[in-house]
Amino acid sequence: MSESFSTITLEIDDSGIAIVTINRPKKLNALNDEVLNELADVFKDIQIDEEINAVIVKGAGDKAFVAGADIKELRELDNRSGRMASQKGQQIFQLIEDTRKPVIAAVNGYALGGGAELAMACHLRIAGENAVFGLPEVGLGLIPGYGGTQRLPALIGKARALEMILTGKQVKAEEAQRLGLVNKVSADPVEASKELLNDILKNGPIAVRDAIKAVYHSDNRSGYQVEADLFGELCETEDCMEGTSAFLEKRKPEFKGK
Ligand code: HXC
């Protein structure tokens, strides 16, 4: 079975593994509003569809999983709309994390900013050999806004997470595995994800569901509110205008701290 939205494809195989493909390759699958809305719709369907036992999320093409939130759209945001954009993405990624069927991100190429945040909202991550992870928002005069300030420290510890967030530096697949950001590196991350899911699906389905529920139960939610508030405030700074404009004009930003 396969279902099509405009920016997302959903295919379901015989074992009930759904493959969600983010399909905007010319913009390296960047998350604009349309992609986010369709991602929410697809995950709402997945949660209630009894034919689906597990999920793989991937990006179309070899170059990128997702290169982040759409910077053209970010440039238009002010404090209020910036906070709301952050909260909207947080809620959709929460919906993904709250899926009580195992969700694996199969990451080929760039997973930057919102793309890394999407991968981190999945329960497990398998990286292709060319995968690159990073939270480059500070280079745009922003901070991660789709939960990255909360999920990255939870996955790799505060010190390593802060280093990645403050420098915006990119890490390749093997380093990502060493850090604990990805579970495995594979030449074929979709195939490797299917193998792992088929192993998981041999176990009791209620136990699998409840194990996911228990692991996420202790998460502290208030950090997400702080992240969204700060993201909104940053949207109104001159530095954010400079950082996002510099990206779109293909030049280096000159920040003034204003
Ligand atoms: C919009 C993007 C984009 C993005 C790439 N593109 N990333 N458009 N938003 N995040 C577009 C480019 O403008 C270009 O369009 C096309 O995709 C191909 O990208 P290039 O830059 O030409 O490719 P390349 O030189 O190979 O560089 C690849 C790259 C670079 C290193 C991944 O594209 C890049 O740095 N992208 C931005 C990464 C980033 O900063 N992400 C974080 C965003 S902030 P044209 O039309 O020129 O062909 C974020 C915040 C989340 O995610 C929270 C929000 C609340």
Side-chain angles (χ1 to χ4, degrees):
M1 187 188 129
S2 122
E3 193 176 338
S4 221
F5 296 78
S6 9
T7 60
I8 297 213
T9 331
L10 174 66
E11 298 158 81
I12 304 166
D13 78 5
D14 294 343
S15 350
I17 298 175
I19 301 188
V20 174
T21 305
I22 298 168
N23 196 358
R24 208 186 160 218
K26 285 191 182 146
K27 296 289 178 188
L28 305 186
N29 306 319
L31 302 171
N32 63 7
D33 214 41
E34 189 181 14
V35 179
L36 283 175
N37 290 337
E38 292 194 346
L39 203 51
D41 288 344
V42 103
F43 268 89
K44 281 180 198 153
D45 287 354
I46 284 171
Q47 307 209 338
I48 53 171
D49 189 331
E50 288 178 4
E51 306 286 303
I52 297 176
N53 299 319
V55 188
I56 297 172
V57 180
K58 69 178 187 63
D62 281 339
K63 195 169 168 187
F65 174 70
V66 165
D70 191 299
I71 295 172
K72 209 167 171 191
E73 289 184 357
L74 291 182
R75 204 163 160 267
E76 310 295 322
L77 299 173
D78 60 17
N79 186 340
R80 187 166 171 278
S81 57
R83 191 182 66 241
M84 284 168 61
S86 169
Q87 282 169 337
K88 176 176 171 174
Q90 287 180 354
Q91 279 161 11
I92 296 167
F93 288 13
Q94 195 61 56
L95 184 72
I96 295 174
E97 192 176 271
D98 285 345
T99 305
R100 296 302 175 232
K101 306 169 183 187
V103 182
I104 302 188
V107 178
N108 247 335
Y110 292 109
L112 300 178
E117 294 177 291
L118 171 61
M120 290 190 284
C122 298
H123 302 136
L124 301 163
R125 283 149 293 285
I126 296 190
E129 285 160 357
N130 68 341
V132 176
F133 294 82
L135 289 171
E137 285 89 343
V138 286
L140 298 166
L142 286 168
I143 58 171
Y146 292 157
T149 65
Q150 307 305 301
R151 291 196 177 94
L152 188 61
L155 282 169
I156 69 170
K158 274 191 184 151
R160 289 164 162 176
L162 255 186
E163 185 178 335
M164 277 185 71
I165 292 169
L166 297 182
T167 60
K169 90 167 177 175
Q170 299 180 355
V171 301
K172 294 189 178 152
E174 275 179 19
E175 191 183 353
Q177 185 180 22
R178 192 180 54 77
L179 290 169
L181 182 50
V182 303
N183 296 76
K184 186 176 181 166
V185 181
S186 162
D188 187 341
V190 173
E191 236 2 85
S193 299
K194 282 187 185 168
E195 275 170 31
L196 179 54
L197 286 171
N198 280 318
D199 276 349
I200 293 172
L201 294 176
K202 287 178 192 148
N203 299 311
I206 304 174
V208 167
R209 181 197 69 195
D210 285 358
I212 297 170
K213 205 166 165 180
V215 165
Y216 285 103
H217 185 69
S218 60
D219 283 357
N220 166 15
R221 298 273 172 242
S222 68
Y224 289 87
Q225 185 60 48
V226 174
E227 179 186 84
D229 288 346
L230 294 172
F231 187 90
E233 285 170 25
L234 284 161
C235 283
E236 280 194 2
T237 60
E238 285 179 29
D239 281 352
C240 172
M241 186 51 70
E242 169 61 10
T244 52
S245 301
F247 174 77
L248 295 169
E249 291 159 18
K250 303 185 190 288
R251 62 175 173 80
K252 284 208 157 51
E254 283 183 39
F255 293 120
K256 298 204 171 85
K258 287 200 256 184

